[in-house]
Every structure is written in structure tokens, then in C-alpha cells.
């Protein structure tokens, strides 16, 4: 047994962070000594919010979160996930699985990451029933069409979404 700190990375685009993501962060915080929430620039996905805005929303929501069990840091990254995780001295990467449809993509990504660095394990946490159908795209669509998103995002994110939609004239 060593006294080395166990560090985990939970990566995502978080465009924007949802209560489903926050539930996963709280659960992952029980399993490591330090959790790094990695916010991918992910230009490929053409995010609605800038990386700085996504980081900022996460920091606010995590600061307000109850029941977290370890230190949680929010860090942006633009390189390969596996390189980012190694830079953070992480021994594992957490991913959430919602439905069977997530499995294919996650399976490929895990295989590829394991080829790049077999020392870092991917750990899957099943999303709770309540958050099975939540996605950031749905949140943006519902909000842009004047639907109620208060059940799925925090007031902080809801406010930022409305302001951003108004700023973009949508
Ligand atoms: N609750 C609610 N929603 C969830 C969720 C949860 N627990 N977990 C995932 N989601 C949703 C997200 O909101 C998102 O919805 P959207 O597609 O409508 O935007 C979707 O599921 C997937 O999002 P996310 O978990 O953020 O993953 P991602 O596919 O956007 O990003 C990275 C995955 C960042 C890990 C990946 O792009 C990456 O590794 N990038 C770095 C480059 C790299 O290393 N590439 C090689 C990989 S082998």
C-alpha cells in the first residue's frame, strides 16, 4: 500500500454542464482522492459556449455542490485526452454511460486510449435513471424554444443559457 494520491479525470465538452454530469461528478468524487474535470475545447463539435464559459459554469456549479467527497479541480484541455490524463498524473478516466447507444462510441474510445497508454484505466459509471435521456444538445434546443430546463440544469446554467441565446439573437 502506498500513500500516493489517487487522481481521476472526468472529461467532457460540457456544453453546457447538466445535472446528469453533476451527479456523475459527485459519485466519482467518492472513488478518488482528487478529481480533475477536464473541459475539452472540442472545436470539432462547434460548441455553443466558449471553453472559458464552460469552465466557469462548472466551477460555479461544483462550488455550490453538496456531498462531494474529494478535492475537485476544473481544467481545460485541447490535446489528446490520454495525454491530458497523464499530465494530471491520473490513474483513471471516468465516463458516464447513459443508454446502450453510448456504448459503441465509448468502447472504441476506451480501446484507443488503452492502446495509447495502458496504465490509465477507463471506469464507467451508469447514469442514474433520472438522467438517462439528458443531453447538452437537448438542453440547448429546449431552452431556445422557450421550454423549461430548470429540472435538468442549475439556475446558474439556465441564466447563462438565456443570456447567451439573447446575445446570439436566438
Ligand atoms: N448526464 C447527462 N448528459 C451526459 C452525461 C451525463 N452523465 N454524460 C454525457 N452526457 C451527454 C453530454 O451532454 C453530451 O451531449 P451532446 O452530445 O448533446 O452535446 C454527450 O452526452 C456526450 O458528451 P460528453 O460526455 O461531454 O463527451 P463528448 O463526446 O462531448 O467528449 C471527450 C468526449 C472530450 C472525452 C472526447 O471528445 C475526447 O477525448 N477529446 C479529446 C481528443 C481525443 O483524445 N481524441 C481521441 C479519443 S480516442
Amino acid at each position: 500500500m502506498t500513500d500516493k494520491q489517487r487522481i481521476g479525470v472526468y472529461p467532457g465538452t460540457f456544453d453546457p454542464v447538466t445535472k446528469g454530469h453533476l451527479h456523475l461528478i459527485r459519485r466519482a468524487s467518492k472513488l478518488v482522492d482528487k478529481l480533475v474535470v477536464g473541459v475539452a475545447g472540442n472545436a470539432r463539435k462547434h460548441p455553443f459556449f466558449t471553453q472559458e464559459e464552460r469552465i466557469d459554469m462548472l466551477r460555479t456549479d461544483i462550488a455550490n455542490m453538496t456531498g462531494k467527497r474529494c478535492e475537485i479541480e476544473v481544467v481545460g484541455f485541447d490535446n489528446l485526452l490520454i495525454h491530458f490524463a497523464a499530465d494530471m498524473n491520473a490513474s483513471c478516466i471516468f465516463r458516464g454511460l447513459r443508454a446502450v447507444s453510448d456504448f459503441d462510441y465509448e468502447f472504441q474510445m476506451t480501446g484507443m486510449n488503452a492502446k495509447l497508454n495502458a496504465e490509465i484505466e477507463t471506469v464507467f459509471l451508469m447514469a442514474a435513471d433520472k438522467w438517462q435521456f439528458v443531453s447538452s444538445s437537448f438542453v440547448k434546443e429546449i431552452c431556445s424554444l422557450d421550454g423549461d430546463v430548470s429540472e435538468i440544469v442549475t439556475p446558474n446554467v439556465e441564466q447563462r443559457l438565456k443570456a447567451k441565446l439573447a446575445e446570439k439573437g436566438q
Side-chain angles (χ1 to χ4, degrees):
M1 199 60 183
T2 69
D3 57 1
K4 200 170 159 259
Q5 227 196 3
R6 261 179 322 157
I7 300 173
V9 163
Y10 177 46
T13 311
F14 305 109
D15 188 38
V17 57
T18 66
K19 287 187 183 174
H21 291 127
L22 293 170
H23 189 240
L24 225 105
I25 291 171
R26 192 184 299 112
R27 287 163 62 202
S29 80
K30 295 180 194 160
L31 304 174
V32 284
D33 302 308
K34 178 180 169 181
L35 183 67
V36 178
V37 179
V39 182
N42 238 339
R44 183 174 59 87
K45 265 188 140 177
H46 304 292
F48 183 70
F49 288 100
T50 66
Q51 192 176 18
E52 291 69 32
E53 289 168 334
R54 288 178 274 134
I55 290 173
D56 200 51
M57 284 184 277
L58 267 158
R59 285 193 179 142
T60 304
D61 281 354
I62 290 169
N64 294 333
M65 182 192 279
T66 54
K68 46 188 182 240
R69 299 281 184 80
C70 73
E71 179 194 347
I72 306 178
E73 198 183 345
V74 182
V75 181
F77 74 101
D78 290 294
N79 52 344
L80 277 178
L81 169 60
I82 202 76
H83 290 169
F84 171 70
D87 290 346
M88 296 292 116
N89 293 317
S91 54
C92 68
I93 292 170
F94 289 106
R95 292 291 291 164
L97 274 184
R98 289 165 303 168
V100 182
S101 54
D102 281 348
F103 184 78
D104 248 11
Y105 171 65
E106 296 296 337
F107 183 67
Q108 286 180 25
M109 194 163 75
T110 303
M112 196 46 86
N113 282 332
K115 264 199 196 321
L116 295 169
N117 184 341
E119 293 301 309
I120 302 178
E121 294 289 345
T122 300
V123 176
F124 292 103
L125 298 179
M126 293 297 293
D129 283 0
K130 196 172 171 192
W131 311 118
Q132 281 289 331
F133 303 104
V134 174
S135 82
S136 300
S137 304
F138 279 147
V139 166
K140 286 175 285 198
E141 189 175 344
I142 293 167
C143 196
S144 72
L145 297 172
D146 284 334
D148 180 9
V149 290
S150 61
E151 284 285 307
I152 31 185
V153 296
T154 61
N156 160 50
V157 170
E158 187 176 357
Q159 228 172 48
R160 302 284 286 261
L161 259 169
K162 287 183 176 157
K164 190 80 175 178
L165 284 164
E167 180 192 315
K168 294 197 179 214
Q170 289 174 21

